[in-house]
Coordinates of all heavy atoms in Angstrom, one line a residue:
R209 N 8.4 -4.4 -57.8 CA 9.0 -5.7 -57.4 C 8.1 -7.0 -57.9 O 7.0 -6.9 -57.8 CB 8.9 -5.7 -55.7 CG 9.6 -7.0 -55.2 CD 9.6 -6.8 -53.7 NE 8.3 -6.7 -53.1 CZ 7.6 -7.8 -52.7 NH1 8.2 -9.1 -52.9 NH2 6.5 -7.8 -52.1
L211 N 6.5 -10.3 -57.8 CA 5.9 -11.1 -56.7 C 6.2 -12.6 -56.9 O 6.1 -13.1 -58.1 CB 4.4 -10.9 -56.6 CG 3.8 -9.5 -56.3 CD1 2.3 -9.5 -56.3 CD2 4.4 -8.9 -55.1
D219 N -7.8 -29.7 -54.9 CA -9.1 -30.1 -55.6 C -10.3 -29.6 -55.0 O -11.5 -29.6 -55.5 CB -9.2 -31.6 -55.8 CG -9.3 -32.3 -54.5 OD1 -8.5 -31.9 -53.6 OD2 -10.0 -33.2 -54.3
A228 N -5.3 -19.0 -51.7 CA -5.0 -18.0 -52.7 C -5.2 -16.6 -52.1 O -4.4 -15.7 -52.4 CB -5.8 -18.2 -54.0
N230 N -5.2 -15.6 -49.0 CA -4.1 -15.4 -48.1 C -2.8 -15.1 -48.7 O -2.0 -14.2 -48.3 CB -4.0 -16.5 -47.0 CG -5.1 -16.4 -46.0 OD1 -5.3 -15.4 -45.3 ND2 -5.8 -17.5 -45.9
P238 N -0.6 -15.9 -56.6 CA -1.0 -17.4 -56.7 C -1.8 -17.7 -58.0 O -2.4 -16.8 -58.5 CB -2.0 -17.5 -55.4 CG -2.6 -16.2 -55.3 CD -1.5 -15.2 -55.7
E250 N -0.4 -25.4 -66.2 CA 0.1 -24.1 -65.7 C 1.7 -24.1 -65.5 O 2.3 -23.1 -65.9 CB -0.5 -24.0 -64.3 CG -2.0 -23.8 -64.2 CD -2.4 -22.4 -64.8 OE1 -1.6 -21.6 -65.0 OE2 -3.7 -22.3 -65.0
V251 N 2.2 -25.3 -65.3 CA 3.6 -25.4 -65.2 C 4.3 -25.1 -66.5 O 5.3 -24.5 -66.7 CB 4.1 -26.8 -64.5 CG1 5.4 -27.0 -64.9 CG2 3.8 -26.8 -63.0
P256 N 6.4 -21.7 -61.8 CA 6.2 -21.1 -60.6 C 7.5 -21.0 -59.8 O 8.5 -21.7 -60.0 CB 5.1 -21.9 -59.9 CG 5.4 -23.3 -60.5 CD 5.8 -23.0 -61.9
D262 N -1.5 -30.6 -53.1 CA -2.3 -31.6 -52.2 C -2.1 -33.0 -52.6 O -1.9 -33.4 -53.8 CB -3.7 -31.2 -52.6 CG -4.7 -31.9 -51.5 OD1 -4.4 -32.2 -50.4 OD2 -5.9 -32.3 -52.0
K275 N 6.7 -37.0 -58.0 CA 7.7 -37.9 -58.6 C 7.9 -37.5 -60.1 O 9.1 -37.4 -60.6 CB 7.3 -39.3 -58.5 CG 7.4 -39.9 -57.1 CD 7.0 -41.3 -57.0 CE 7.1 -41.8 -55.6 NZ 6.7 -43.4 -55.5
K284 N 12.4 -29.6 -62.1 CA 12.9 -30.4 -61.1 C 13.5 -29.6 -59.8 O 13.5 -30.3 -58.8 CB 14.1 -31.4 -61.7 CG 15.3 -30.7 -62.2 CD 16.2 -31.7 -62.8 CE 16.6 -32.8 -62.0 NZ 17.7 -33.6 -62.6
L291 N 0.7 -30.7 -49.2 CA -0.4 -30.5 -48.2 C -1.1 -31.7 -48.1 O -1.7 -32.3 -49.0 CB -1.3 -29.3 -48.8 CG -0.6 -28.1 -49.1 CD1 -1.6 -27.1 -49.7 CD2 0.2 -27.5 -48.0
L304 N 8.3 -36.9 -48.8 CA 9.6 -36.4 -49.0 C 10.4 -37.2 -49.9 O 11.1 -36.6 -50.8 CB 10.3 -36.4 -47.6 CG 9.7 -35.2 -46.6 CD1 10.3 -35.5 -45.2 CD2 10.0 -33.9 -47.1
A306 N 9.2 -38.7 -52.4 CA 8.7 -38.5 -53.7 C 9.2 -37.3 -54.4 O 9.0 -37.0 -55.5 CB 7.1 -38.4 -53.7
Y374 N 27.3 -26.6 -46.8 CA 27.5 -26.5 -45.4 C 28.4 -27.5 -44.9 O 29.5 -27.2 -44.2 CB 26.3 -26.4 -44.6 CG 26.6 -26.1 -43.1 CD1 26.8 -24.8 -42.7 CD2 26.6 -27.1 -42.2 CE1 27.1 -24.5 -41.4 CE2 27.0 -26.9 -40.8 CZ 27.2 -25.6 -40.4 OH 27.5 -25.3 -39.2
L375 N 28.2 -28.7 -45.3 CA 29.0 -29.9 -44.8 C 30.4 -29.7 -45.3 O 31.4 -29.9 -44.5 CB 28.4 -31.2 -45.1 CG 27.1 -31.6 -44.6 CD1 26.6 -32.9 -45.2 CD2 27.3 -31.8 -43.0
W393 N 17.5 -25.2 -42.8 CA 16.1 -24.8 -42.9 C 15.7 -23.5 -42.2 O 14.8 -22.9 -42.4 CB 15.2 -25.8 -42.4 CG 15.0 -27.0 -43.5 CD1 14.0 -27.2 -44.3 CD2 15.9 -28.0 -43.7 NE1 14.2 -28.2 -45.1 CE2 15.4 -28.9 -44.8 CE3 17.2 -28.4 -43.1 CZ2 16.0 -30.0 -45.2 CZ3 17.7 -29.5 -43.6 CH2 17.2 -30.4 -44.6
G427 N 23.8 -42.2 -33.3 CA 23.5 -41.6 -32.1 C 23.8 -40.1 -32.0 O 23.6 -39.4 -31.0
A434 N 36.9 -36.7 -46.4 CA 37.6 -36.9 -47.6 C 38.1 -38.4 -47.6 O 38.4 -38.9 -48.7 CB 38.7 -36.0 -47.8
K440 N 35.2 -53.6 -45.7 CA 35.6 -54.7 -46.5 C 34.5 -55.8 -46.6 O 33.9 -56.2 -45.5 CB 36.8 -55.3 -46.0 CG 38.0 -54.4 -46.1 CD 39.3 -55.2 -45.6 CE 40.5 -54.1 -45.7 NZ 41.8 -54.8 -45.1
A446 N 33.5 -70.2 -49.9 CA 34.4 -71.0 -50.8 C 35.7 -70.4 -50.8 O 36.8 -71.2 -51.0 CB 33.9 -70.9 -52.2

Side-chain angles (χ1 to χ4, degrees):
R209 184 174 66 91
L211 300 180
D219 66 320
N230 282 303
E250 294 292 345
V251 165
D262 186 36
K275 285 182 179 179
K284 66 187 298 184
L291 309 177
L304 292 167
Y374 184 80
L375 290 173
W393 281 263
K440 294 183 180 179

